[in-house]
Amino acid sequence: MRTLSVQLVFHRSASGKPFLVAEPPREGVCLMTRRLFWEDAYATEFDATIASIDGNQVVLDQTAFNPRGGGLVSDTGTLAGVKVLEAIKVGEDSIAHVLESAASLAVGSKIHGVIEWSRRHRIMRMHTSAHLLSAIFHKQTGALITGNQIEPEKSRIDFSLDDFDREKMLVYCSQANEAITKNPLVKTYFMKREEALQIPGITKLASVMPPDVKDLRIVEIEGYDLQADGGVHVKSLGEIGKIEPLKFENKGKSNRRMYFTIP
Ligand SMILES: [Zn+2]
């Protein structure tokens, strides 16, 4: 029996299209980039083969660079010693690395990638913090997440919430920090669409899935939250340390915005 509440709408792009759906690597699809960050979010270096080059955009057969999307900023780092400005999604399954210059690179050659770990680890801590906060706000108020921006230094979450009560929101933040001290595990796994559909409340999510998606990537904070999600997270909540609320803003009718950081 699953007793966790399921947060249905977490990441939304600027267009309002939910970013929740992810598929595991598929065999034999040549254009897809294998997402090494799904297999090990702590891998900081990797080897790959260049699949295509378009100007300064380089697509590899596999990558540890988590691309920009769904409110998360991209990783940075280097490929063959050349600066990676950002990684972006191309089409359904590919990830392109935007390089300072791709002049020295050739399709088919091997390449070594290095992730800027200090930035990436903060993104992971911020991202898991955002899931935890949204789970607690949702549990306490029923609020849904209408937008978010996860960045290394400061992040924000938008809630659809009628009340604008700073004191209460500070209490929810304290509850999040209490959860962090208990250090529950954060697990990621894939779930068949049919199985996911049986989790109470997930139907709404399923209804926005493209029809060809067979599997969802689930991120579970044990005892607190279960979400379909394609991003990078820490292994357990203790790694976050502490969430510091920075500012609460009233963004009209029923939209509340919270800024937070982690020391
Ligand atoms: Zn997420």
Side-chain angles (χ1 to χ4, degrees):
M1 264 304 276
R2 289 185 181 275
T3 53
L4 294 170
S5 70
V6 177
Q7 181 90 32
L8 294 174
V9 184
F10 180 64
H11 294 290
R12 277 183 182 275
S13 62
S15 67
K17 200 177 157 203
F19 164 74
L20 284 167
V21 175
E23 281 188 282
R26 282 186 303 209
E27 299 289 331
V29 181
C30 59
L31 274 177
M32 91 149 255
T33 309
R34 182 173 164 188
R35 287 156 159 78
L36 299 171
F37 52 87
W38 279 355
E39 296 164 33
D40 180 5
Y42 292 80
T44 58
E45 301 198 19
F46 66 101
D47 291 300
T49 302
I50 300 177
S52 71
I53 300 175
D54 180 7
N56 287 339
Q57 294 190 11
V58 176
V59 174
L60 307 173
D61 61 340
Q62 56 182 11
T63 188
F65 281 86
N66 184 46
R68 162 163 59 88
L72 262 78
V73 291
S74 163
D75 287 329
T76 57
T78 59
L79 282 181
V82 181
K83 213 170 179 180
V84 175
L85 304 174
E86 68 169 345
I88 54 174
K89 289 175 192 168
V90 183
E92 286 287 297
D93 288 324
S94 289
I95 294 169
H97 305 76
V98 183
L99 269 60
E100 224 164 38
S101 165
S104 60
L105 307 178
V107 172
S109 59
K110 301 273 180 205
I111 201 165
H112 187 71
V114 180
I115 303 293
E116 193 195 319
W117 177 247
S118 57
R119 171 187 165 92
R120 160 65 167 278
H121 193 222
R122 283 193 67 88
I123 294 171
M124 286 159 63
R125 292 165 66 214
M126 282 286 201
H127 189 188
T128 310
S129 299
H131 278 219
L132 176 65
L133 285 167
S134 54
I136 289 174
F137 272 66
H138 179 72
K139 190 183 167 197
Q140 298 290 358
T141 67
L144 286 175
I145 311 311
T146 54
N148 59 276
Q149 184 64 30
I150 310 297
E151 294 184 23
E153 298 309 319
K154 185 172 88 169
S155 296
R156 70 166 167 79
I157 314 176
D158 290 342
F159 300 94
S160 67
L161 185 61
D162 288 334
D163 252 9
F164 182 64
D165 186 331
R166 280 189 178 79
E167 293 308 313
K168 276 188 194 165
M169 290 194 271
L170 284 171
V171 170
Y172 306 150
C173 291
S174 302
Q175 291 171 347
N177 280 321
E178 216 176 283
I180 290 169
T181 64
K182 293 179 187 156
N183 199 24
L185 289 177
V186 181
K187 303 189 295 188
T188 62
Y189 47 90
F190 286 91
M191 195 184 275
K192 290 281 168 220
R193 179 193 173 96
E194 307 81 67
E195 198 188 329
L197 284 170
Q198 289 179 18
I199 300 171
I202 210 161
T203 321
K204 203 167 144 200
L205 161 68
S207 69
V208 300
M209 283 193 288
D212 63 334
V213 171
K214 301 275 192 295
D215 301 275
L216 292 175
R217 181 174 181 265
I218 306 292
V219 174
E220 177 177 350
I221 303 172
E222 269 188 342
Y224 291 91
D225 188 40
L226 198 64
Q227 288 186 33
D229 187 84
V232 282
H233 291 271
V234 293
K235 280 186 294 206
S236 64
L237 283 196
E239 223 170 288
I240 293 170
K242 192 169 190 266
I243 296 169
E244 265 184 30
L246 293 173
K247 195 164 60 165
F248 297 104
E249 282 179 355
N250 199 355
K251 304 296 282 184
K253 215 175 162 217
S254 60
N255 199 19
R256 317 290 167 232
R257 176 168 289 181
M258 173 189 173
Y259 289 94
F260 67 93
T261 191
I262 45 177

